[in-house]
Amino acid sequence: NGESFSADKLRVLANALAARHLSVPQTHVMLKVFTFSGDRLKALELMAPHTVDLARNGYQLFDAFDFSTDKEKARSIIERNS
C-alpha cells in the first residue's frame, strides 16, 4: 500500500543520511521523490540536519510544498536546523 511505500522510502533515506552531507539542491531533488506533503515534511526533518547550506539557501526548498501551511512547517524545520 501507499503508506508502506512512503515509510520504506523514509527508512531508506534515514539510513542513507548516516555521516553524509547534502546541499539544498540535493535536498530539493530528494523531497520531490515523495508524493505527499506530509512525507516531504518528514523527509525534510531527516535531511535538514545534514544540509550544509540550509541557513543560506533553505528558502529554495519552499517550492517543494504546495500549501502555505506546509511551507510554514518547512520554514520552521529550516529555522530549527540553521
Side-chain angles (χ1 to χ4, degrees):
N1 69 34
E3 182 177 326
S4 173
F5 187 61
S6 291
D8 289 345
K9 285 195 275 189
L10 287 167
R11 200 170 13 265
V12 168
L13 176 61
N15 290 335
L17 287 171
R20 288 188 175 79
H21 300 288
L22 301 169
S23 67
V24 165
Q26 291 170 317
T27 299
H28 191 276
V29 167
M30 292 302 299
L31 288 175
K32 291 299 200 168
V33 168
F34 295 90
T35 305
F36 302 107
S37 287
D39 293 333
R40 287 182 184 169
L41 288 167
K42 289 175 189 173
L44 181 57
E45 286 277 7
L46 291 172
M47 291 186 288
H50 300 273
T51 305
V52 294
D53 56 339
L54 195 62
R56 186 181 44 218
N57 297 318
Y59 69 91
Q60 296 174 14
L61 299 174
F62 297 144
D63 74 346
F65 300 93
D66 297 323
F67 304 108
S68 60
T69 55
D70 293 330
K71 290 177 192 280
E72 284 304 314
K73 290 175 185 174
R75 180 185 310 279
S76 176
I77 293 166
I78 291 166
E79 287 175 355
R80 274 197 319 271
N81 288 279
S82 294

